[in-house]
Amino acid sequence: MLGIFEAITKRLVEAWKSDEPSGRRNAFRCRCERPIYFQNSFCLGCKTPLGYQPDDLQVLAMSPGPQPDWWIVEGEEDQETYWRRCENFDSPAGCNWLVPVDDEEPLCRSCRLNHTIPSLDNAESALWWRKIENAKRRLVAQLLQLGLPVVSKVSEDPEQGVMFDFLRSPEKGPRVMTGHAAGLITLNVEEADDSVRERIRHEMREPYRTLLGHFRHEIGHYYWDRLIDKTPWQEKFRELFGDEREDYAAALKRNYEQGPPVDWRDRHISSYASVHPWEDWAETWAHYLHVVDSLDTALRFGLRGEDVEQAVEPFTIDDLYDPKDADAKRVILLVNSWVQLTTVINELARSMGQQDFYPFVMSRTVLRKMHFIQLVVKEARGGASLI
């Protein structure tokens, strides 16, 4: 019998290195000590204004600065560091992120990535945009935590940056397709409609479909271009994921006509990952982000639980892409903790008549691919360990 949440917390506290961005091991709290959350712009208890400070990666209480619309965040009162709210604070996006007052860009590090937003003349589209931005801000915050490059293709780096088009399909078509091309991520805003997204999920026979999942998948394509293409990682990628030079259109056609291979579960995290090496990378990348963010949240909130029986055989260091890597032991602790956590949360979801929280099974081949991604991310952040 194993105390699952206790085991997760103990393992991760022991394993995670102390050089990570500050505050990641503590749930956000207002100066009044009430809990506050990632999307909050003011404390529901004491009404203190709050803002997300992207350098410290925290939601912090704020006090008025020396000029109108200038703010001082908690912990910086003696540094003469001033912030202003993102220009989208008063828009339907309701952005709670902060921008340094000396930054010429009026939009925060998340909102400045937008190239096209939905028409705000349509109340439905405005509501969808808010849901989309909530998911995108969570994505961008995690990318910043990982130490990955996040710059705007619109206003900062036209060659290597990333930007987003949020488009709605015309009544008479054609339908907007969610995807990535050369740093431009397009999202069909109708995906923010729960009923539409659920219908598509059923039609596509998918176990999981969310806005955040879309963002994590598509940003994976972007980082393949940034971190794998024409780098020393490319040949290693081909050995593990397959040769991306395979005809992509032909691979899609084959998948839609014949379906996935019978044994896809042995080698891929999802049936869609079996379509083409690019999709295998993007799907695995998305799951890497799922695992890291969910376990980070569990750790920050110090979750505990009753003893549960270990239902699966734990992974070992030999299951990793590089068992000799210096962080191999920590990676195994993280992944095995994830398996334990999802075992309990899936059962909790079932007890409420809901879908599984994590309706996937991670094979040893998938774990090797995820560890490969961990090594790529580690190099991208200058060799500093993430876990």
Side-chain angles (χ1 to χ4, degrees), residues 112-115 152-158 162-164:
R112 69 184 61 176
L113 304 179
N114 292 343
H115 180 244
S152 172
K153 193 177 181 71
V154 179
S155 59
E156 295 172 320
D157 188 343
V162 62
M163 63 185 182
F164 295 84

Side-chain angles (χ1 to χ4, degrees), residues 314-365:
F315 293 111
T316 70
I317 288 178
D318 290 335
D319 295 320
L320 296 177
Y321 176 77
D322 182 3
K324 296 181 180 179
D325 180 69
D327 298 319
K329 184 176 181 180
R330 287 188 286 269
V331 172
I332 285 298
L333 290 176
L334 182 146
V335 173
N336 284 334
S337 295
W338 168 255
V339 173
Q340 295 162 16
L341 176 66
T342 54
T343 297
V344 169
I345 297 183
N346 281 347
E347 285 300 317
L348 287 172
R350 294 164 191 165
S351 71
M352 287 294 293
Q354 298 290 333
Q355 299 178 115
D356 282 1
F357 167 79
Y358 188 71
F360 302 93
V361 176
M362 190 184 301
S363 69
R364 282 173 169 76
T365 302

Side-chain angles (χ1 to χ4, degrees), residues 39 71 100 121 174 194 202 221 240 254 263 278 329 362 377:
Q39 296 177 189
W71 298 94
D121 294 334
D194 294 341
H202 275 284
H221 287 299
L240 186 59
R254 181 177 64 249
D263 64 345
W278 278 336
K329 184 176 181 180
M362 190 184 301
V377 170

Side-chain angles (χ1 to χ4, degrees), residues 8 29 48 50 58 73 79 82 89 108 140 153 177 184 201 209 216 293 316:
I8 291 169
R29 287 192 176 275
T48 293
L50 306 172
Q58 293 192 81
V73 299
Q79 301 177 27
Y82 304 112
F89 174 70
C108 72
V140 175
K153 193 177 181 71
M177 301 300 293
L184 171 62
R201 189 184 71 80
R209 191 181 184 95
R216 286 174 170 164
D293 199 25
T316 70

Side-chain angles (χ1 to χ4, degrees), residues 122-167:
N122 183 298
E124 189 175 48
S125 292
L127 175 62
W128 291 347
W129 185 41
R130 187 181 189 93
K131 293 181 178 180
I132 288 166
E133 290 296 338
N134 283 340
K136 178 165 72 71
R137 284 193 288 272
R138 191 169 292 276
L139 168 76
V140 175
Q142 185 181 18
L143 298 177
L144 294 175
Q145 287 178 332
L146 292 175
L148 291 168
V150 186
V151 294
S152 172
K153 193 177 181 71
V154 179
S155 59
E156 295 172 320
D157 188 343
E159 295 300 320
Q160 291 193 303
V162 62
M163 63 185 182
F164 295 84
D165 276 354
F166 302 135
L167 306 176

